[in-house]
Amino acid sequence: MVTKRTLYSWVLEKNVRWQALIVLLVVATVGIRIFPLELQKRIVNEAIGLGDMDLLILYCLLFLGAVLLASSLKFIINLLQAFIGQTTLERMRRSLFAHILSLPMSFFRTIQPGQVINSLINELASVSGFIGSAVSVPLINVCTLLAMGGYLFYLNPLLACLSFVIYPLQIVIVPKLQKRGNEANRHRVNVSRAISGSIGEVITGVHEVHGHAAFALENEKFYGQTQQLLQANNRMNAYRYGIKFANNFFEHLGPFILFLVGGGMTIRGLFDLGALVAFLSAYSSLSEPWRELMDFYQLKEDSLVRYKNVMAAFDVVPEHLLVPVDRDVHRFRGDIELRGVTFRTPEGTRLIEDVNLHVRPGEMVALVGFSGSGKSTLAKVVSQLMPYTEGQARIDGNEVRTLTKLDVAENVGMVPQHPFIFSGSVRDNLLYASRSSAANGVPGFITPDLDRIIEVLQQVGLFLDVLKFGGQAVITPDDKPELVERVLAMRRLFRQRYEGDFLDDIEFLDPDRYMDFGSIAQNIVFGDFVERRVRFEEAHRHKRFVAFLGEIGLEEELVGFGASVAKATVPILRYGAQTPELYAGSPIPREEMEKYAVVVAELASRSQAELKAASRILLLRLALNFVQGRHKTVRMPENLKERLLMARREFRETFARSGQGALRFYEPDLYVESRSIRDNILFGQPKPGRPGAMDRISEHLVQLLIEEGVLESIVELGLEFQVGSMGEYLSGGQRQKIALARVFLKAPPVYILDEATSALDNASQARVQNFLKAVRGRHTVISVVHRLDTVSHYDRIVVMKAGKIVESGPYDELMAAKGVLHDLVAKA
């Protein structure tokens, strides 16, 4: 396992050629670094001492060339170090991630997601620095020390000996400090990991925090944890900076000795000046490799601590092999047999006990029982998601615990009650299981095509949802010109056929008619912004738009209308019961009520012309956002509607003269790029509050999509709908439909449904039941059922109580026996 590997095992794996190249570059670099030191001596003694300008220029150029070459080689070595470190880190992360995914489900009930993330991303990151430098840094610095030390002995053996006196002290003191620093760092890592896990837990359960107003409790807990981390960091930093202080002191102690002794020898004529300069340069060059060795030692110890902590956290043996070795994946018929199967928790609690059950290939079996009776546990045992502790569980005679994960995945399709939906598109989630089979190279597996996807979408009741997603897609003529042309054709057909039928359900766009379900700002513009981020709600902030209202004399009229709306609405909101229903049809939102109350008070003592500028802006905003069909507190005067229709025509003329392209006016023959496909077909908007209106509209839209041959194109767009993080943009029923479709698309021999239809409406539930009836005899079905009105068509009902099977047989027989199932149905 990857967790058993040592940190050093990563240094050479797949890096031998690169490390060998580094060794060659290191040898060349060390040799070149000696050359400038000798040149310094000759520059002082020969070129300067003899006054030879030509020789001085030659030596200086050679010096510069040597320094430049050595620096270039060091730059290449550093790049190689970083490359080796990062590529090895990537392999390490992949290996550890693959290992983590293979761990037993029980492991994930004891570890927080934050700890896994922190270990993979943060704690392993510093390890890459050590791996990249594990060969080069010790080699280049040890070689440099030996080369420089040899050169020092060549210049003066006495001074050389004095230079090395301090190093034994440094070797004794610094490692002791480092050892304690490592212990402090290990403690810091453990505290940091615990905090990461705690944060992950709180964020995951933040709904409970809000539900119980546990803000003070969680803040107090987090404060205590941060205090522990602060103390751990302070302790670690004390040792870290103590080590740096010791290294810095020893680094400057050497020059003190050399200046004192070497300077005295030079003054007495025992040592020439050029040799002293070269000696001091060589000694100063010793400090860098020595410091790098100390830093490397500290990096090594820190990396070892982090690496061991990470690997220890995941040092768990997987329960099953992932893929078969030296054989193909098993292909089962779906014969399932349980003999004396028992599952105990680590604490010894029995969730299921001595279960004996034989499900024949193609048989449909319903598992029913009281809550906590062991139904879901039994389903998870068969699907290898929970390990049984006693007995035998076999599929086609093969013991479940000996099968690989791929064997079970290809033969058993498990749909849980609360399925997980991954970030990405609907298509990504539907084909998750199928793409997994393809990625595993399963022989004979064919990825479902669009026709098959549509078929399954209809079987689980998700087809209309996907069509809705596709209809809500926003496209442009540049992206999909053919589809845009078809949409415009459908717009004409829809108006011709259904305009009269849907006058009560849809407000069709008409340049000569006021839109009751559009705001005043939308009625004036009668178009949409090309950039969808521009919002009509902020029209009062648009200087050119407000200037236009002033030019045509409409600004004062709208401020006055806003005042009428505020006067009528504020008393209702202030004295009414503060419920969501009160604000549902209000033109003033709850958070703005106090602001408008101040404006209404101001209106009581001032005329409209005397209002403050801020109050006028609030009233103009209120008027521009007023929607006659939704805001019922004030009825808009008919003469104002006529005035707004005139303003609409004037606005179009003014905008056309400006030559700007930020707006697209509504035209019967033009596609509105900022609106969805559905809105473009309707060329209007559904009126709210009409029961069943959208179903009637959708039915006719689907018929048009089929006639125009674009149904598949809309489905394709719907399949690309982004579901959000963990499917946050989907309802509970849609999540279950996707999970069912995901397994049905793969069509394994065995379906195990663990209350997989609990969130579905009756129509979708019926569709799924019809599908199960259709596969009877070809697929084995074990379904944990919560709705007892759906179990009558199963071949056999298995009733569980307290972890045991207490009844088993056809529905009619068990009901006639008036046993446990009869009681369950009676209480349902």
Side-chain angles (χ1 to χ4, degrees), residues 105-119:
M105 297 298 295
S106 58
F107 172 81
F108 295 98
R109 290 190 282 270
T110 62
I111 194 168
Q112 295 298 325
Q115 182 178 342
V116 178
I117 297 168
N118 189 52
S119 296

Side-chain angles (χ1 to χ4, degrees), residues 513-526:
R513 185 185 301 167
Y514 188 86
M515 299 185 299
D516 285 336
F517 290 93
S519 68
I520 288 179
Q522 289 172 315
N523 268 283
I524 295 173
V525 174
F526 198 67

Side-chain angles (χ1 to χ4, degrees), residues 7-77:
L7 179 58
Y8 291 98
S9 68
W10 297 94
V11 174
L12 292 179
E13 183 190 55
K14 298 185 179 180
N15 295 323
V16 174
R17 289 182 300 172
W18 297 114
Q19 298 288 18
L21 178 58
I22 285 180
V23 170
L24 294 176
L25 292 174
V26 165
V27 173
T29 302
V30 172
I32 293 170
R33 291 179 69 175
I34 298 296
F35 189 56
L37 299 175
E38 181 63 21
L39 283 174
Q40 289 182 40
K41 185 179 77 171
R42 297 194 177 192
I43 288 171
V44 174
N45 290 343
E46 298 178 14
I48 298 177
L50 299 176
D52 190 336
M53 192 64 190
D54 292 336
L55 190 59
L56 177 62
I57 294 173
L58 176 62
Y59 283 162
C60 286
L61 290 175
L62 290 173
F63 178 86
L64 180 61
V67 171
L68 182 60
L69 180 57
S71 299
S72 299
L73 291 175
K74 186 64 184 296
F75 173 72
I76 295 173
I77 291 171

Side-chain angles (χ1 to χ4, degrees), residues 515 519-539 542 544-546 548-549 647-667 670-675:
M515 299 185 299
S519 68
I520 288 179
Q522 289 172 315
N523 268 283
I524 295 173
V525 174
F526 198 67
D528 258 347
F529 294 97
V530 175
E531 294 186 22
R532 292 187 292 275
R533 60 185 178 83
V534 181
R535 302 173 58 199
F536 280 103
E537 291 83 352
E538 301 298 321
H542 198 287
R544 293 197 61 187
F545 182 70
V546 175
F548 164 77
L549 297 178
R648 175 188 295 177
R649 291 187 283 272
E650 294 180 57
F651 180 80
R652 175 170 292 203
E653 293 173 2
T654 301
F655 189 88
R657 289 196 301 270
S658 70
Q660 295 185 6
L663 274 174
R664 292 288 186 273
F665 293 110
Y666 296 141
E667 298 283 358
L670 292 180
Y671 192 86
V672 186
E673 298 179 21
S674 58
R675 291 296 187 95

Side-chain angles (χ1 to χ4, degrees), residues 218-250:
E218 293 299 336
N219 284 330
E220 182 180 355
K221 186 194 304 182
F222 186 67
Y223 173 75
Q225 293 170 332
T226 55
Q227 288 297 303
Q228 292 180 8
L229 183 60
L230 175 64
Q231 294 172 2
N233 280 327
N234 288 338
R235 183 184 174 199
M236 186 195 70
N237 288 332
Y239 283 110
R240 174 181 293 175
Y241 296 123
I243 293 168
K244 288 187 175 182
F245 167 79
N247 284 331
N248 188 59
F249 173 75
F250 287 122

Side-chain angles (χ1 to χ4, degrees), residues 368-540:
V368 303
F370 295 100
S371 178
S373 60
K375 308 183 299 294
S376 295
T377 301
L378 184 58
K380 290 175 181 176
V381 164
V382 175
S383 56
Q384 210 187 56
L385 295 178
M386 294 184 80
Y388 48 99
T389 50
E390 297 176 22
Q392 296 176 333
R394 294 177 177 175
I395 303 178
D396 283 22
N398 296 272
E399 193 72 31
V400 170
R401 63 162 57 95
T402 65
L403 294 173
T404 68
K405 283 292 183 181
L406 187 57
D407 287 323
V408 175
E410 290 301 311
N411 289 279
V412 179
M414 172 73 172
V415 184
Q417 180 181 5
H418 303 291
F420 188 88
I421 303 299
F422 293 92
S423 301
S425 67
V426 172
R427 185 195 302 272
D428 293 335
N429 278 280
L430 288 174
L431 297 180
Y432 186 80
S434 303
R435 288 173 175 170
S436 175
S437 296
N440 285 314
V442 176
F445 181 82
I446 300 175
T447 302
D449 58 14
L450 183 60
D451 289 339
R452 173 61 179 155
I453 292 174
I454 291 176
E455 178 187 357
V456 171
L457 291 177
Q458 292 172 330
Q459 289 169 345
V460 301
L462 190 62
F463 182 69
L464 288 180
D465 295 285
V466 172
L467 270 184
K468 183 183 73 172
F469 295 150
Q472 291 173 341
V474 178
I475 62 174
T476 65
D478 293 336
D479 293 337
K480 298 184 180 296
E482 293 183 7
L483 182 56
V484 165
E485 288 300 321
R486 296 291 182 88
V487 169
L488 291 176
M490 284 187 284
R491 176 192 294 178
R492 291 188 288 271
L493 283 173
F494 192 86
R495 292 293 284 266
Q496 291 170 9
R497 295 181 184 178
Y498 310 121
E499 183 172 5
D501 297 334
F502 284 111
L503 285 177
D504 293 332
D505 298 322
I506 301 173
E507 185 174 55
F508 292 102
L509 297 175
D510 187 333
D512 298 320
R513 185 185 301 167
Y514 188 86
M515 299 185 299
D516 285 336
F517 290 93
S519 68
I520 288 179
Q522 289 172 315
N523 268 283
I524 295 173
V525 174
F526 198 67
D528 258 347
F529 294 97
V530 175
E531 294 186 22
R532 292 187 292 275
R533 60 185 178 83
V534 181
R535 302 173 58 199
F536 280 103
E537 291 83 352
E538 301 298 321
H540 66 286

